[in-house]
């Protein structure tokens, strides 16, 4: 593992960096890419920002979002590959992953627990609430001024990964950073409306369908939703609309572990896990080859929905007495 | 208007202060009362905390909440009356209001706009996001140490009145204060869950049922839910669980007017109306003998659900072109 100063030195020397986040990009992934990417542009670097998956509609307001190249990575004489919010090669997605076949120097900056990140240089700090929080320190170290565009991207990264300053990862430092970003003039209330206030009709239609599958364990501590591909398609929804669904089983009083089982196109099932106070869902996800954080994690299982539910629910119930 | 230092001096000299917030107490009102009340107790003052209205279930977790006397103000030789988050006599509620007939010295601390607060001493600062924010400065001025109990009350005051740091009133100073309170060891995630996160399972079950009735006008600007008594009863829900439902049609992108039609026991239909930016739903509700605010109103109609929907939707559609 490297220090943030070492990472800053590597980045400073780059001329043509290629920057990527993870598949199914979220606010932290995109905000981090854009804050660092736009920041390095002010130093005169020829920055290329890429994403294997499209930018969700929700985040197209982010300053610079139109610069992110989606899908195939354009050919270029890149001298540094920077992975943000992603320390596992698989999570780069098929388009970006292919870049790693070349002899390019790779640098990983992430806040997800991972003892074995894939970069030549690695800075992984699980104590950070968001990768955007690390990027903000990095910009200071590189001496890049945080202007309004960078501030909006950094704020979005932090506010989304802390659930609007509600999650356990909301440290005093997170609030100090938010304070500084607001001081730079970002429109808090407008951003909150954009990020949390409105939802496309597909999301509500999907919620309508998904809630039909709500199940709660006898003990009331585990609640889950199961969503089929057919259901997603029947309401014209896309993967991006599935993200917020886990909040519904999660917010039921008395529920400790919330789960969403989502059937993917290829017969796989994506499992999202959340816990409130006690259960380490990172450990739980690891049992199925996944991972993440203590309170938020995920994994992907082969076989149909029924099999995935059986396996994961059995393992989850084992964590509770008589559940 | 007095300075905060002057107010601090008045409070320091008190021996038997009586502290109240406003009717229908919220997180800021209660958190402010308790932070100041418990704080003054550490100085040896004989503090009496009162509220005309009961403490909502949601806020019974606040440290010291059990000390708040609800209803009639107990007789006592009070030497100072402190009104928090309330600068209008009416808002004290009938029980507390009666205290003002005596010759007690009154002191008002508030953040609601009011050029004519009722106290002998007044500190009203609309730039503060919450009265709790002012109380926190006041505790520092009086030199009262902010312990964990005080911190939880202050944090609750601030987080509720800023909508979890999302509203326009969320200044850099608000985040600096939140940072300090978290540094004092408050359990952020647990508090967030208590305040925003959890819902009784009946609410989610009702949402499940209610969303089945979601309809959207052709133009996409009007969305509504219709709920029968049978549906409410089938999931074991009560009227209090219906309250949040209007947020679902409301948060659909492109929707300007959201409506919930709810069948009442006596063959009446309660109609709740919300608008986002343009439509005056107060005027709309008035056409049916109701009223409220420009963006939130309601009315009650005779006849069944179908008739109420027909009447209200026709009138609403008339406000839009080709809707």
């Amino acid at each position: 593992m490297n220090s943030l100063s070492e990472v800053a030195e590597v980045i400073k020397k780059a001329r043509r960096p290629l920057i990527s986040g993870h598949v199914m990009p979220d606010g932290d992934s995109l905000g981090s890419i854009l804050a660092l990417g736009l920041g390095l542009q002010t130093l005169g670097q020829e920055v290329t920002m890429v994403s294997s998956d499209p930018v969700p509609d929700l985040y197209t307001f982010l300053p610079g979002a139109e610069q992110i190249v989606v899908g195939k990575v354009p050919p270029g004489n890149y001298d540094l590959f920077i992975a943000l919010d992603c320390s596992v090669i698989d999570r780069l997605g098929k388009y970006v992953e292919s870049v790693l076949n070349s002899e390019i120097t790779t640098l990983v900056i992430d806040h997800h627990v991972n003892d074995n990140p894939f970069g030549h240089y690695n800075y992984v700090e699980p104590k950070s609430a968001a990768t955007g929080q690390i990027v903000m320190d990095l910009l200071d170290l590189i001496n890049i001024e945080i202007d309004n565009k960078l501030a909006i991207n950094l704020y979005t990264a932090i506010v989304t990964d802390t659930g609007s300053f509600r999650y356990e990862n909301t440290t005093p430092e997170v609030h100090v950073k938010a304070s500084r970003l607001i001081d730079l003039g970002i429109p808090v209330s407008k951003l909150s409306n954009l990020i949390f206030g409105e939802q496309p009709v597909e999301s509500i239609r999907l919620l309508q369908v998904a809630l039909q599958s709500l199940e709660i364990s006898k003990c009331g501590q585990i609640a889950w939703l199961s969503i089929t591909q057919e259901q997603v398609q029947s309401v014209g929804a896309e993967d991006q609309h599935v993200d917020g669904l886990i909040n519904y089983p999660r917010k039921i009083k008395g529920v400790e572990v919330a789960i969403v089982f989502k059937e993917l196109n290829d017969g796989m099932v994506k499992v999202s896990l959340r816990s409130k106070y006690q259960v380490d869902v990172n450990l739980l996800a690891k049992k199925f080859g996944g991972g993440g954080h203590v309170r938020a994690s995920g994994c992907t299982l082969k076989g149909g929905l029924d099999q995935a539910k059986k396996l994961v629910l059995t393992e989850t119930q084992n964590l509770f007495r008589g559940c």
Side-chain angles (χ1 to χ4, degrees), chain A:
Chain A
M1 211 66 77
N2 301 95
S3 71
L4 199 58
S5 314
E6 286 167 348
V7 165
E9 286 309 311
V10 173
I11 293 177
K12 264 203 263 187
K13 284 177 195 147
R15 288 293 161 264
R16 293 170 304 281
L18 178 69
I19 309 180
S20 172
H22 55 70
V23 285
M24 298 179 70
D26 55 16
D28 188 22
S29 178
L30 294 166
S32 296
I33 295 174
L34 289 164
L36 185 61
L38 300 185
L40 292 177
Q41 285 175 352
T42 67
L43 298 185
Q45 294 193 8
E46 206 177 289
V47 178
T48 305
M49 296 177 271
V50 292
S51 175
S52 280
D53 285 345
V55 175
D57 293 346
L58 171 62
Y59 294 115
T60 51
F61 77 86
L62 288 174
E66 72 288 349
Q67 292 188 42
I68 295 178
V69 181
V70 173
K72 271 194 182 170
V73 175
N77 189 19
Y78 307 115
D79 59 1
L80 179 65
F81 174 72
I82 307 175
L84 294 175
D85 205 36
C86 178
S87 52
V88 182
I89 289 182
D90 287 357
R91 299 258 305 149
L92 291 171
K94 62 177 178 180
Y95 294 114
V96 177
E97 212 182 312
S98 63
V99 174
L100 298 195
N101 298 330
S102 65
E103 289 185 1
I104 192 167
T105 303
T106 54
L107 187 157
V108 166
I109 298 170
D110 194 14
H111 73 128
H112 295 90
V113 182
N114 185 355
D115 295 332
N116 194 22
F118 68 81
H120 297 110
Y121 298 91
N122 297 292
Y123 183 83
V124 175
E125 179 48 271
K127 281 181 193 156
S128 288
T131 295
Q133 186 182 343
I134 304 172
V135 170
M136 194 164 161
D137 288 332
L138 192 60
L139 291 167
D140 285 342
L141 277 173
I142 306 180
N143 240 330
I144 292 172
E145 194 199 324
I146 297 177
D147 64 11
N148 197 264
K149 288 180 182 178
L150 267 59
I152 289 175
N153 280 302
L154 293 170
Y155 182 82
T156 302
I158 291 171
V159 83
T160 52
D161 256 27
T162 59
S164 200
F165 308 101
R166 290 181 191 176
Y167 300 157
E168 219 165 81
N169 60 6
T170 309
T171 57
E173 176 61 23
V174 165
H175 277 290
V176 168
K177 284 194 153 54
S179 174
R180 183 175 155 208
L181 293 171
I182 294 174
D183 226 0
L184 289 165
I186 59 166
V188 177
S189 145
K190 195 180 160 190
L191 290 177
S192 302
N193 272 331
L194 285 168
I195 299 168
F196 300 108
E198 299 214 318
Q199 288 187 357
V201 65
E202 292 84 357
S203 292
I204 304 286
R205 292 276 186 214
L206 187 63
L207 175 64
Q208 184 185 49
V209 171
L211 279 181
Q212 300 307 304
S213 73
L214 176 69
E215 290 180 84
I216 303 172
S217 64
K218 273 182 201 164
C219 64
Q221 294 183 283
I222 312 169
W224 62 95
L225 300 175
S226 327
I227 305 153
T228 64
Q229 265 300 312
E230 199 192 331
Q231 286 170 332
V232 174
Q233 283 158 12
S234 71
V235 295
E238 293 166 31
D239 283 342
Q240 56 173 307
H241 303 124
V242 177
D243 284 353
L245 290 178
I246 195 143
N247 289 321
Y248 294 89
R250 185 183 177 281
K251 69 178 158 189
I252 296 173
K253 212 168 179 170
V255 166
E256 167 65 19
V257 176
I259 315 176
V260 169
F261 297 94
K262 187 184 163 267
E263 194 183 42
L264 302 177
N265 276 319
D266 48 5
M268 307 289 278
V269 176
K270 188 185 163 198
V271 183
S272 304
L273 296 150
R274 297 288 183 279
S275 67
K276 274 186 200 155
Y277 307 114
Q278 294 138 8
V279 172
D280 183 340
V281 290
N282 180 36
L283 275 182
L284 194 56
K286 273 190 177 165
K287 292 194 176 173
F288 302 100
H293 305 281
V294 176
R295 299 278 170 261
S297 69
C299 54
T300 307
L301 275 78
K302 276 184 197 172
L305 267 178
D306 287 343
Q307 202 190 323
K309 280 167 69 174
K310 202 177 160 185
L311 286 169
V312 175
L313 288 173
T314 304
E315 206 63 58
T316 310
Q317 278 164 333
N318 283 343
L319 300 171
F320 297 90
R321 256 191 209 183
C323 197

